[in-house]
Amino acid sequence: MSERSSAADGAPAVRVAAGSRRERRAQRALDEIRAAATDARVLEMGPTGVRSHEPLVLLTRDGRTAFHPAPVAGRLESLVETLERGGLPTDGAAAVVEHGSEPASLPTPDDGPLSVGRRRVLGRCGWVDPAAVPDESAAELATERPEAARGRVREIGIRGRGRGDWSADDPIAAEWDLAREAAESGDGGGTTADDAQAPVVVVNANDSDDRNETDRLLLEAAPGEVLDGALAVGELIGADDVVVYCNEADDQARERVHEAARNVAETAEDRLGRAARPEVVVGPNRYIAGEPTMALEAMEGNDRLEARLRPPSPTEHGLYGRPTVVHTPRTMAQVRRAMLHPEEFDADDADPGTRLLTATGDVDATATVELPTGGSLEDVREAVDLEGRFKMACVGGQFGGFTRSLSQSPSAPALEGAGLGTEGVVELLNEGRCVLATAGRRARFAKEENCGRCVTCRQGTIQLTEMLRDVYDGAYEDAKIRELSRVMGETSICEFGRSAVRPAVTGMREFETEVTAHAEGRCPSGECEAGGKR
């Protein structure tokens, strides 16, 4: 199914956009709307990324769309009746947007959470059929004009996005070159057949950190675009296979990727001149299973997940010994956008493009927004309502860094320079949060969840957890903690060990007085009581 075949045909339409976490509520809304509709088309869409709006009911007629977030049960029938009588139900709408007859992307309101950022990669989320094949194809461009497609990504300097990306925060074009060279030289491994040496493209969408909804959102709302980007990468490196690696707990994302893959296969012969059917596999719902080399271990069926030694890199010797390019859905979406709309990217930027960020923490409901890398993290606060007074933010997910300010830009160089993480999560935390307790919980998570392959991570996380506990007993040895973090950061095999120390280090840097107070037997935030919470 193409976008064109599922696009508006002039008839009034009702779209229901919702994510899997509110599936029952969304299903009730769909049932009520379908029972009331006679002439209007009723369309089920993926989420927009704004949880407070779900299910979001979008009613469209004559180039105008009314936005009704989370409407109460029983009101939907009257909304549909007004639409079918020739009107547009605007009473109680959060926004009414005028647009062309068949907009390709979600019409953006002037205010509210959906107005935050640029919504380029997120543009179709909540507006198009999640399983539809995009009319505009980067894979087709890569097939017909490979040098142009490759040149755009290279010249723009697109960087990887997400801890599951082998090129996380680094320009990706060099990895593509390495994969092609490894395949051509036969250094990629394999057995005997020539096709065993062909590269593989892996879309690593296995992220068990519930804070991060960026990749899950793309797979639930716009998997066709992710697959189109992956097929484009495959065309440019000569890959025979594209594999989407999903988390076993993300049922809706996996189902929508399966459906989109079937539709892609139906159009591949016409577009690419060959059969192409992306494969979908599942991996365990474990944090370490998202690390690129442990993802490959899981995909090969290994029960024990351990980070692979490097070199060689997966690009040279990856899935079943074949050269493998590993990117996240976020990266694939950026690649596709860069190939098709290079005018939106400034090659002079250190980190061109946009970055997806999930605003979460002490908020009414999470929201995933798309910010330009030259913008400010502060903008995420416009998409959510903070419960209580703002104290700090943890930027970067499970092993993010603490900061008092969100004045940084979302670009990878800016975040790294500030000691923060680039994973795509901004947790807004209120005054009831204790930085020591929060850092301690993350250190304990690292101790319990590391793969155990390297000594510095296996033993270092144990020592880090004990040192943070000792603060409650009056033993605050910040110099030892900083030295331990330096050793782990420099000698751990994978990013797990290198980033596991970030919460403790940034917490001590930003809130040293608060940490010291715990050594004196008090918790300024009140979250810890007499050292009882460790």
Side-chain angles (χ1 to χ4, degrees):
M1 177 190 297
S2 69
E3 283 184 7
R4 194 175 306 280
S5 66
S6 63
D9 58 6
V14 184
R15 292 175 171 85
V16 180
S20 59
R21 296 189 181 185
R22 296 192 179 181
E23 188 174 356
R24 292 180 182 176
R25 186 176 179 183
Q27 189 60 53
R28 286 196 297 268
L30 275 166
D31 292 343
E32 185 175 344
I33 291 171
R34 285 171 175 155
T38 56
D39 298 326
R41 292 174 306 110
V42 181
L43 308 169
E44 181 181 2
M45 303 300 169
T48 61
V50 179
R51 294 287 179 183
S52 62
H53 281 13
E54 293 179 359
L56 174 62
V57 178
L58 301 157
L59 300 107
T60 301
R61 173 181 282 280
D62 299 331
R64 300 172 70 212
T65 294
F67 289 65
H68 288 268
V72 297
R75 186 163 183 264
L76 293 171
E77 183 177 354
S78 65
L79 294 178
V80 175
E81 289 177 353
T82 300
L83 185 72
E84 294 193 330
R85 286 198 303 265
L88 186 69
T90 59
D91 289 346
V96 178
V97 182
E98 296 187 4
H99 49 76
S101 59
E102 294 184 10
S105 300
L106 180 76
T108 305
D110 292 331
D111 53 30
L114 287 171
S115 69
V116 177
R118 296 264 174 94
R119 290 195 75 87
R120 289 175 176 170
V121 167
L122 295 182
R124 290 177 170 82
C125 294
W127 187 252
V128 302
D129 183 344
V133 178
D135 290 333
E136 195 177 27
S137 174
E140 190 172 358
L141 174 67
T143 301
E144 297 175 352
R145 300 169 56 199
E147 291 307 318
R150 184 182 296 109
R152 290 175 183 180
V153 175
R154 187 185 304 280
E155 291 167 10
I156 291 171
I158 294 295
R159 294 172 181 258
R161 282 153 167 76
R163 69 182 181 91
D165 196 303
W166 180 252
S167 302
D169 306 323
D170 293 324
I172 61 179
E175 292 297 315
W176 297 0
D177 293 339
L178 186 59
R180 287 201 317 274
E181 292 168 3
E184 291 169 358
S185 67
D187 292 337
T191 54
T192 57
D194 290 341
D195 62 355
Q197 308 298 326
V200 183
V201 173
V202 170
V203 182
N204 186 1
N206 187 350
D207 195 339
S208 65
D209 189 349
D210 287 339
R211 302 173 183 85
N212 193 346
E213 299 183 354
T214 55
D215 287 330
R216 185 182 301 111
L217 170 61
L218 289 175
L219 293 192
E220 290 185 353
E225 297 188 21
V226 174
L227 294 180
D228 184 52
L231 288 170
V233 175
E235 288 294 315
L236 296 183
I237 69 170
D240 284 348
D241 299 296
V242 170
V243 183
V244 184
Y245 171 62
C246 296
N247 189 301
E248 63 184 0
D250 293 338
D251 293 336
Q252 180 162 290
R254 186 173 67 255
E255 290 170 5
R256 287 185 167 164
V257 174
H258 268 298
E259 189 174 355
R262 286 194 296 269
N263 291 333
V264 164
E266 292 176 1
T267 62
E269 196 70 43
D270 291 336
R271 285 188 164 185
L272 309 181
R274 64 178 180 83
R277 176 72 178 267
E279 182 183 357
V280 182
V281 300
V282 297
N285 184 26
R286 298 180 59 193
Y287 187 83
I288 60 173
E291 191 276 330
T293 65
M294 283 189 263
L296 299 179
E297 291 288 305
M299 293 170 70
E300 291 177 359
N302 295 322
D303 293 331
R304 179 174 176 80
L305 299 184
E306 290 184 340
R308 293 183 178 180
L309 296 175
R310 60 221 53 190
S313 70
T315 312
E316 301 167 286
H317 192 89
L319 189 63
Y320 295 112
R322 296 164 62 181
T324 304
V325 169
V326 184
H327 292 318
T328 60
R330 281 168 282 172
T331 303
M332 293 302 186
Q334 286 288 321
V335 166
R336 178 178 185 273
R337 197 77 189 180
M339 289 183 184
L340 296 174
H341 299 281
E343 72 281 357
E344 296 176 351
F345 295 78
D346 186 350
D348 293 331
D349 286 349
D351 184 6
T354 58
R355 284 190 175 255
L356 303 189
L357 298 158
T358 298
T360 185
D362 298 323
V363 299
D364 62 335
T366 63
T368 297
V369 299
E370 182 177 357
L371 301 184
T373 53
S376 171
L377 284 179
E378 187 68 34
D379 291 345
V380 303
R381 297 187 62 176
E382 299 178 17
V384 294
D385 290 328
L386 180 66
E387 299 173 344
R389 293 183 58 184
F390 177 77
K391 174 182 179 178
M392 60 185 175
C394 185
V395 180
Q398 178 69 54
F399 298 140
F402 293 106
T403 177
R404 295 178 182 270
S405 168
L406 290 174
S407 60
Q408 303 85 0
S409 83
S411 72
L415 294 174
E416 290 172 347
L420 306 177
T422 62
E423 176 50 14
V425 181
V426 179
E427 292 175 78
L428 304 173
L429 305 176
N430 63 29
E431 290 182 320
R433 297 284 191 149
C434 170
V435 69
L436 181 60
T438 306
R441 285 191 291 269
R442 299 182 190 217
R444 185 168 62 250
F445 175 89
K447 181 191 74 171
E448 296 170 351
E449 295 297 323
N450 72 85
C451 77
R453 178 71 184 263
C454 62
V455 174
T456 49
C457 182
R458 184 178 67 248
Q459 296 300 318
T461 53
I462 294 174
Q463 294 177 28
L464 177 63
T465 303
E466 292 175 347
M467 287 180 180
L468 295 179
R469 283 176 176 165
D470 288 345
V471 175
Y472 290 95
D473 296 326
Y476 176 32
E477 299 181 285
D478 59 330
K480 287 187 177 181
I481 296 175
R482 295 177 195 279
E483 175 61 16
L484 173 63
S485 67
R486 183 192 67 78
V487 173
M488 290 180 63
E490 293 179 356
T491 62
S492 295
I493 292 177
C494 75
E495 189 62 27
F496 186 103
R498 293 193 288 267
S499 62
V501 297
R502 188 185 290 124
V505 172
T506 55
M508 291 189 304
R509 182 189 68 198
E510 294 285 308
F511 297 91
E512 185 172 7
T513 301
E514 181 172 322
V515 176
T516 302
H518 284 78
E520 299 170 354
R522 58 188 179 87
C523 173
S525 69
E527 183 178 357
C528 310
E529 294 181 4
K533 188 162 188 173
R534 305 185 182 184

